[in-house]
Amino acid sequence: MSEIVKAETTPWQGSFWLPQNASPMTSGQDALFYFIYSLSVLFFVLVVGFMVFFAWKYRKRKEGESTANIHGNTKLEIIWSVIPGLLFIVIFVWGFFDWIKLNVVPQGALEVKVTGRKWDWLFTDQKTGAETSDLIVPINTPVRLTMSSADVIHGFYIPDFRINRDVLPNQYTVVWFKAEKEGSYPILCTQYCGTKHSQMVRYVKVVSEEEYNKAMIAAQGAGLSPEELGKKIFSGKGACASCHSVTPDSTKMVGPPLFGAYGENKSVTNKNGKKETIKFDDNYIRESIVDPNVRVVVGYPPVMPSYQGQLDEKEMNALVEYIKSLKK
C-alpha cells in the first residue's frame, strides 16, 4: 500500500452551504454568514422585483407618449440610506466581536508548533516534545497553534473549525481553536504551493485525554524498533512519503521510488552535470538526506530540500534502516 497521504473518506456533514461546525466557539461566524446571505437574497429580490415592476409600470404604451417627469422622493432616499447604514453597523459589530474571540488565546492553552513544508505538515507538541504528522488534541481543550513555513507560503485551513491562517517563511502566525466533538477533521492548504499542493491533506484527531496521552508517548518513539521508527519518520516528520513511493509497483512521483532500491546500482547526475553510477547504500541514503542535490538519480529533478540539522543521529539511522527494509 502506498505511503502517499490520502484524504480520509467521510460522509458529508453539514448544510448545503457550510460543512459541519465541530467547534461551537465559532458558531457566531456561521450565524453571521447566514444573516448576510439572507440579507443578500432579500435585497436581490427587492431590487430586481422593483426593476421589473417599474419597467412594466412605465413601459411605452403608444407612439409619442413621453415619460413622467420625476423629481425624486426625499423620504425614500433617507430610508434607503439609513437602513443599509444600520445593517452595515450591525454586521461590523457582530464580526468585530467574533474576530476578537478568534484572536485572543485563552490562558493555559495547549501549545503546538506547526511547520508547513512541501507538501506536508509537522506538528510538535510543546508539552511533550512529540512530533506527529496529524494534529492530535484532547477534547474540550483550547489549542494554540504557532505556525511557520520551511519553504513557501502555505495556508492552514480546518473547514470544520472555521479557522484559516496563512503560514509564512521566517515569520510566526498564531491561531487557536477548541474542539468539542471527538472525530477526525481534514486540514487543507489554501495557498498554491507546488505540483502536489492538492495532496497536502492531514487531519486533526480529537480524542479523549487518555488517548491523547497514549498518542504522545507513542509519537516519541518509545518501544519502536529502528525500522518502525524510520517508517514513522518517513511518513511523518520527514514528509518523505510526499515525494517517494515505497510500493512494489514503483509508482513514479517527484522523487525516485525506494522499494527494492537498496543495494542496486543507480545512474545519477552529479552537481557538475556529469553522469556516474553509484551503489544505493547507507552512505548514499545519508548523503541524499543531508545534501540531496549532490548526486540526483537520472530522470528526476533536483528539488529535494536538505534535512541537515532537522534529524538527529537516531532518526537518521532509523530512516536508513526503514529504506533498507523495503526489499523485493
Side-chain angles (χ1 to χ4, degrees):
M1 181 176 176
S2 171
E3 293 277 358
I4 302 171
V5 177
K6 294 181 177 177
E8 294 180 4
T9 54
T10 54
W12 171 259
Q13 298 181 45
S15 69
F16 179 79
W17 302 107
L18 294 172
Q20 66 170 326
N21 189 342
S23 179
M25 57 162 275
T26 56
S27 59
Q29 296 178 48
D30 289 9
L32 181 56
F33 168 81
Y34 285 115
F35 178 70
I36 295 173
Y37 175 75
S38 300
L39 286 179
S40 301
V41 172
L42 173 65
F43 282 106
F44 174 80
V45 171
L46 280 177
V47 171
V48 174
F50 276 117
M51 286 173 60
V52 173
F53 172 73
F54 287 128
W56 173 81
K57 180 177 175 61
Y58 296 106
R59 68 190 185 281
K60 183 177 181 180
R61 291 182 170 82
K62 58 185 179 180
E63 288 297 330
E65 182 184 41
S66 57
T67 57
N69 190 10
I70 300 173
H71 295 284
N73 187 311
T74 303
K75 188 182 293 183
L76 273 178
E77 291 174 2
I78 291 174
I79 290 173
W80 70 48
S81 297
V82 171
I83 291 179
L86 291 175
L87 289 173
F88 280 129
I89 291 173
V90 169
I91 292 170
F92 172 79
V93 172
W94 192 339
F96 178 74
F97 279 104
D98 275 340
W99 183 86
I100 292 292
K101 192 189 298 182
L102 286 173
N103 285 275
V104 178
V105 185
Q107 292 290 329
L110 179 69
E111 298 270 354
V112 178
K113 183 179 179 184
V114 181
T115 304
R117 56 195 172 177
K118 296 191 289 186
W119 291 274
D120 207 354
W121 300 101
L122 173 66
F123 302 98
T124 306
D125 186 289
Q126 298 298 86
K127 179 181 174 184
T128 63
E131 295 179 329
T132 58
S133 50
D134 287 319
L135 177 55
I136 303 171
V137 298
I139 191 170
N140 290 328
T141 302
V143 180
R144 173 192 166 110
L145 304 177
T146 304
M147 308 184 290
S148 64
S149 171
D151 38 52
V152 298
I153 297 177
H154 299 282
F156 186 88
Y157 178 39
I158 308 176
D160 292 337
F161 294 170
R162 310 289 193 266
I163 59 172
N164 184 10
R165 195 61 53 92
D166 281 347
V167 181
L168 310 171
N170 303 317
Q171 186 174 336
Y172 290 114
T173 51
V174 174
V175 69
W176 79 280
F177 66 89
K178 180 181 176 183
E180 301 181 11
K181 182 180 174 185
E182 290 189 16
S184 185
Y185 308 97
I187 301 170
L188 309 176
C189 179
T190 53
Q191 295 282 1
Y192 180 73
C193 53
T195 54
K196 299 191 72 176
H197 158 74
S198 62
Q199 295 182 25
M200 194 169 169
V201 180
R202 285 291 182 179
Y203 289 84
V204 182
K205 296 184 177 178
V206 182
V207 298
S208 65
E209 185 75 27
E210 183 182 4
E211 290 175 325
Y212 162 76
N213 290 329
K214 289 181 180 176
M216 291 301 102
I217 292 172
Q220 290 171 322
L224 297 180
S225 68
E227 284 182 22
E228 292 170 332
L229 178 59
K231 184 177 182 179
K232 181 180 284 293
I233 295 169
F234 189 90
S235 58
K237 179 180 180 180
C240 319
S242 301
C243 298
H244 295 280
S245 162
V246 293
T247 55
D249 60 3
S250 297
T251 303
K252 184 169 183 178
M253 300 173 66
V254 176
L258 300 179
F259 187 87
Y262 187 83
E264 290 194 340
N265 292 326
K266 295 283 184 183
S267 293
V268 298
T269 304
N270 64 28
K271 59 184 179 183
N272 297 321
K274 295 181 179 179
K275 292 184 179 179
E276 59 181 274
T277 300
I278 56 94
K279 193 172 186 66
F280 198 101
D281 56 10
D282 298 43
N283 285 324
Y284 179 69
I285 295 172
R286 189 183 186 91
E287 177 187 271
S288 298
I289 294 171
V290 176
D291 199 355
N293 298 322
V294 171
R295 293 185 290 180
V296 180
V297 174
V298 173
Y300 292 90
V303 296
M304 179 173 165
S306 171
Y307 282 77
Q308 177 79 50
Q310 298 185 43
L311 301 173
D312 60 28
E313 194 64 23
K314 180 182 177 182
E315 293 170 329
M316 187 77 74
N317 292 335
L319 262 182
V320 173
E321 291 304 313
Y322 173 61
I323 294 171
K324 285 168 66 175
S325 72
L326 303 170
K327 297 176 182 176
K328 292 181 178 176

